[in-house]
Amino acid sequence: MSAETADTAEPTPERTTEGAEAEGRRREQRGWYFYDFACSVYSTSVLTVFLGPYLTSIAKAAADADGFVHPLGIPVRAGSLFAYAVSVSVVVAVVLMPIVGAAADRTGRKKPLLAAAAYVGAAATTGMFFLDGHRYLLGAFLLIVANASISVSMVLYNAYLPQIAGPDERDAVSSRGWAFGYTSGALVLVLNLVLYTGHDSFGLSESDAVRICLASAGVWWGAFTLVPLRRLRDRRVAPGGEGAVGSGWRQLRATLRDMRRHPLTLSFLLAYLVYNDGIQTVISQASVYGSEELGLDQTTLITAVLLVQVLAVAGALGMGRLARAYGAKRTILASLVVWTLILVSGYFLPADAPVFFFVLASAIGLVLGGSQALSRSLFSHLVPHGKEAEYFSAYEMSDRGLSWLGPLVFGLAYQLTGSYRDAIISLVIFFVIGSVLLARVPVRQAVAAAGNPVPERI
C-alpha cells in the first residue's frame, strides 16, 4: 500500500469509537456545567441575600409581645427562626445524603435521583412566592426542604465528575463548573437587585419584589436543570435485588468500613473539613462583620456579594490554570495562605470605608471559587472506582453538614471579647490547621492507593 493510499484510508473502527466517546464525554461535561448554573442562584439570591431578612420580618410580625413565635408549641425567638431552620435542614440533609449516595452507586441511577432532588428543591423555592402575612411556618418548612434538597442533589452532581472527566482534565472541568455557577449567581442577582431597588417603578411593594426574587430562583433552578438531565447518562450496574432504602443503609455502613481502608483519602477529607469550615464561616459572617463592626449599609453589603460572585468566575478559571502548571494541592495551599492574609487584613480594616471592604471582597472572590473547585477535583482522584456517590456524600457532608465549628468559634470569640475584630481573626486557626493537614497528605500515593491512575500533575 502506498503512502498516499495509507493517508487517505478510512478511519479504523477503534479510532471512530474513540472519537465518538471523546465527543460524548465533552457533551456530558457541557451538560454537567449547567447544573451549577441552575442551582447556584438559590445559594446566592435566596440564602445569601433575600430569605434571611424577609423570613425574620415575617416571624417578627407574627410574634407575641415578648418577641416569640411558637412553631409546634415550642417558644422560639423570632430573630432565631431562620438560623434554626437552616440547622434543621442540615440535619435532614446529613440523614439523606449517605442514603441517596449509596443508592445511586448501588443502582447506577444517579440521574433520576438528581432530577428528584433538584425539582423538589426548585418547587420549594418557587413556593416561597406565597410567603406573606404571618406565614413563617411555611417559610421555615420551604427553607428546610430546599436546603436539604440542594445538598442531596450536589452529592449526585459531584459524583458524575470522575465519570465524565479523565484524571488530567478534572481540575479544569471542576473549575468551569464553579465558574458557570458564579456566572448565573451574579446574573440573577443583578436582575433581582434591579427589581428590588426599583420596585415602586414596577408597581410592586417591597414584599412583592422580594417574593418574586425568591420564586425566580426556583424557576431558574428548575428550567436549567433540564440541560444536565438531557446530556448526562447513567452507567448501569447489576441490581442488588434489595430496596433502595434498605440497601442504602446497608451500603452506608459498608462505606464507613471501606473508608477506613483508605486512610489517605480520609486524611484529605479531614483537612478539607477544617479549612472549608473556615471558608464557609468567613462567607456567612462577612455581612455581620461589615454591618456591625464596620458600619456599612445594606446596599454596600449586597454590592460586595455581587463583586464576589463576578470575580469568583475569574478566580475559579485562573486557579484551574495554575493547577495545570503547579498541581491542585500546591494551588490550594497557596489559596489558604491568601485566605489567612484576608482575615489579617480584615482585622485592621477601618470602619466606614466601603472601598477597603470592596478590595477585601475582591480578594475573597478570586480565591473562593478556585479553592472549592480544586478541592472537589482533587478529592475525585482519591475515590475508589464505583463508590463515587457514596464518597461524595461524605465530602458533601463535610462541605454542608459539618460546617458548624467555625460559626461556634466566631460566636464564642465575640461573646468573650465583645469584638467582632477578635471574632474574625479567630478564624485564622482553621486555615493554619487545614494547611498543615493538607500539606501532610501524600496525594500521589493517595491516588494510587485508591486504585486510580495518577495524573502528571496533582
Side-chain angles (χ1 to χ4, degrees), residues 44 46 65 100 111 115 129 204 218 241 285 311 338 356 392 395 414 431 444 452:
T44 303
V46 177
V100 174
K111 190 158 67 170
F129 177 78
L204 300 170
Q285 302 301 322
L311 290 178
V338 176
F356 291 105
F392 267 108
Y395 178 88
Y414 177 73
F431 297 102
R444 301 184 72 84
N452 295 322

Side-chain angles (χ1 to χ4, degrees), residues 29-44 114 150 153-154 157-158 173-186 220-221 224-225 227-228 232 309 316 369 372-373 376 400:
Q29 290 172 1
R30 290 191 291 269
W32 185 79
Y33 300 148
F34 267 92
Y35 189 68
D36 240 327
F37 191 83
C39 70
S40 290
V41 297
Y42 168 82
S43 299
T44 303
L114 174 62
I150 196 171
S153 72
M154 291 304 293
Y157 167 72
N158 288 336
V173 171
S174 182
S175 296
R176 291 189 199 111
W178 280 104
F180 264 62
Y182 284 116
T183 299
S184 71
W220 182 284
W221 185 357
F224 284 100
T225 295
V227 179
L232 292 172
Q309 293 294 121
Q372 292 176 320
R376 176 173 64 185
R400 296 174 184 270

Side-chain angles (χ1 to χ4, degrees), residues 1 9 15 53 67 81 87 99 141 144 173 222 239 244 306 308 320 324 335 344 363 370 414 425 430 452:
M1 181 183 292
R15 290 180 180 176
L81 180 71
S87 297
I99 300 172
F141 173 75
I144 291 168
V173 171
L306 182 58
V308 168
R324 287 199 296 272
S335 76
V344 173
Y414 177 73
I425 200 67
F430 290 92
N452 295 322

Side-chain angles (χ1 to χ4, degrees), residues 1-290:
M1 181 183 292
S2 66
E4 181 179 355
T5 303
D7 289 341
T8 58
E10 291 292 327
T12 64
E14 291 80 3
R15 290 180 180 176
T16 302
T17 301
E18 289 176 2
E21 289 178 352
E23 178 54 35
R25 189 169 64 250
R26 286 192 293 270
R27 174 181 169 83
E28 282 193 276
Q29 290 172 1
R30 290 191 291 269
W32 185 79
Y33 300 148
F34 267 92
Y35 189 68
D36 240 327
F37 191 83
C39 70
S40 290
V41 297
Y42 168 82
S43 299
T44 303
S45 290
V46 177
L47 274 187
T48 305
V49 177
F50 289 109
L51 184 58
Y54 185 66
L55 183 58
T56 300
S57 68
I58 293 176
K60 287 183 176 180
D64 59 22
D66 296 321
F68 286 84
V69 290
H70 300 269
L72 306 178
I74 303 171
V76 173
R77 193 173 294 278
S80 300
L81 180 71
F82 177 74
Y84 287 151
V86 172
S87 297
V88 172
S89 75
V90 169
V91 174
V92 174
V94 165
V95 172
L96 291 178
M97 285 190 292
I99 300 172
V100 174
D105 282 335
R106 195 174 190 87
T107 64
R109 294 177 61 81
K110 295 183 182 68
K111 190 158 67 170
L113 293 169
L114 174 62
Y119 281 108
V120 167
T125 306
T126 305
M128 292 176 185
F129 177 78
F130 299 102
L131 299 183
D132 56 0
H134 293 174
R135 294 177 177 174
Y136 70 91
L137 274 178
L138 176 63
F141 173 75
L142 293 176
L143 169 58
I144 291 168
V145 172
N147 224 33
S149 295
I150 196 171
S151 296
V152 171
S153 72
M154 291 304 293
V155 169
L156 302 160
Y157 167 72
N158 288 336
Y160 273 103
L161 180 58
Q163 298 178 345
I164 65 173
D168 291 320
E169 58 180 343
R170 284 183 203 163
D171 290 342
V173 171
S174 182
S175 296
R176 291 189 199 111
W178 280 104
F180 264 62
Y182 284 116
T183 299
S184 71
L187 175 61
V188 174
L189 185 57
V190 168
L191 296 176
N192 285 342
L193 287 179
V194 169
L195 178 64
Y196 176 73
T197 57
H199 59 84
D200 287 335
S201 61
F202 292 105
L204 300 170
S205 67
E206 182 177 341
S207 173
D208 291 337
V210 170
R211 291 188 294 114
I212 291 173
C213 290
L214 293 171
S216 68
V219 173
W220 182 284
W221 185 357
F224 284 100
T225 295
L226 291 172
V227 179
L229 292 181
R230 287 180 62 87
R231 295 197 172 190
L232 292 172
R233 62 185 180 87
D234 283 332
R235 278 73 173 170
R236 300 285 181 173
V237 297
E242 300 181 61
V245 174
S247 64
W249 279 111
R250 291 179 177 83
Q251 191 61 49
L252 173 59
R253 291 194 293 269
T255 299
L256 296 176
R257 290 194 299 269
D258 184 74
M259 291 187 78
R260 293 202 297 265
R261 297 173 50 239
H262 300 280
L264 297 180
T265 301
L266 281 175
S267 295
F268 171 80
L269 199 59
L270 177 61
Y272 174 74
L273 186 154
V274 174
Y275 70 73
N276 181 67
D277 203 351
I279 292 173
Q280 297 302 322
T281 307
V282 172
I283 298 305
S284 65
Q285 302 301 322
S287 60
V288 175
Y289 184 71

Side-chain angles (χ1 to χ4, degrees), residues 297-381:
D297 58 31
Q298 187 67 23
T299 301
T300 299
L301 297 175
I302 294 177
T303 304
V305 171
L306 182 58
L307 186 61
V308 168
Q309 293 294 121
V310 172
L311 290 178
V313 177
L317 297 177
M319 287 182 64
R321 291 179 178 272
L322 289 174
R324 287 199 296 272
Y326 301 103
K329 177 182 173 181
R330 290 181 179 177
T331 307
I332 294 171
L333 286 171
S335 76
L336 298 182
V337 173
V338 176
W339 277 107
T340 303
L341 294 175
I342 287 171
L343 291 176
V344 173
S345 300
Y347 178 83
F348 293 105
L349 209 63
D352 299 317
V355 173
F356 291 105
F357 191 74
F358 290 148
V359 171
L360 210 61
S362 300
I364 289 175
L366 290 174
V367 292
L368 174 62
S371 55
Q372 292 176 320
L374 294 179
S375 296
R376 176 173 64 185
S377 62
L378 180 54
F379 182 71
S380 73
H381 292 286

